[in-house]
Amino acid sequence: MKTDDFDFNLPEDLIAQHPIEKRDHSRMMVLDRKTGKIEHKIFSDIIDYLKPGDTLVLNDTKVIPARLFGVKVETSAHVEVLLLKNISKDKWETLVKPAKRVKIGTVVSFGEGILKATCVGIGEEGIREFEFSYDGLFYELLDKLGTMPLPPYIREQLSDQQRYQTVYAKNIGSAAAPTAGLHFTKELLKKLEQKGITICYITLHVGLGTFRPVNVEDVTKHTMHSEYYRMSKEVADKLNLAKKEGRRVIAVGTTSTRTLETIIKKYGHFQECSGWTNIFIYPGYQFGAIDGLITNFHLPKSTLIMLVSALASKEIILSAYSEAIKQKYRFFSFGDCMFIQ
């Protein structure tokens, strides 16, 4: 299975540069994963496709202002640091540009020294481990010094930083938003609950595993970076009951999907747990947790388009993407979405 098999040509003007004014007014392609049948709707119509008894699983991670711009204490050379995951109290795995300037012992200063980071580890492809030192509260300093880590294909400035958070974001720790959830409003979630749909929240802190490109020719040779996840006992009980009663489990986003599939694959059922996952889902994978997926339109040759191709088949997904391009759907983080059922 070749990475190039998941390539497609996307006109640049279809890459959404800003969020739509009303979250639930984005367009939604409804795709039957068995037949390939397509319907064109808006996202608020999701209420018509979810049935009483369905269980909707959302990722309640909260994006931190993870992009920091600093200078090397020794030379004043500029360094950009993207926080990826918290390894221990003040130690973080980061992505650094330019990485060649940062070696073991390098100290980077942010905000004229109110936050400093010392390099204590070197990984592949720009990865560095930093030990941070500061006075006060770390996340308060991040709010002051950091910026939202928007993907590189978004070139416009985001006027409202909260538009890169879901309305239910709660647990701090992500380097990127779980973007399928950006379409939900509090009002829509309330209407879904009133219809009899069970809503559950799990956590996966989005890091490099989700958005790092695939740089190998053979898909099976790609290695995912690990990301932290957590599921409560209450949620596990609800999901186990849904499975026992034959009710649908619908994941909101690939991050929720990967968390659910990690847990079901590890334990054979859902249970209270936390840990790190590097699960890589591509065609041939047998799903054990989910029955449907709400997801955005993804980058060519990415692990995310491979995941949705595993659920609906590569041929059906690429055909649907071709139709989305023809119908001028908006792509990627701030774009439109697809409900695969």
Side-chain angles (χ1 to χ4, degrees), residues 164-181:
Y164 196 58
Q165 300 277 22
T166 62
V167 298
Y168 47 82
K170 179 181 176 184
N171 292 307
I172 292 171
S174 269
T179 53

Side-chain angles (χ1 to χ4, degrees), residues 227-245:
E227 296 166 309
Y228 177 80
Y229 69 88
R230 183 168 64 243
M231 175 181 284
S232 70
K233 183 180 186 303
E234 179 188 8
V235 167
D237 290 346
K238 288 179 179 178
L239 289 169
N240 284 327
L241 184 60
K243 282 295 182 187
K244 182 181 177 182
E245 295 179 350

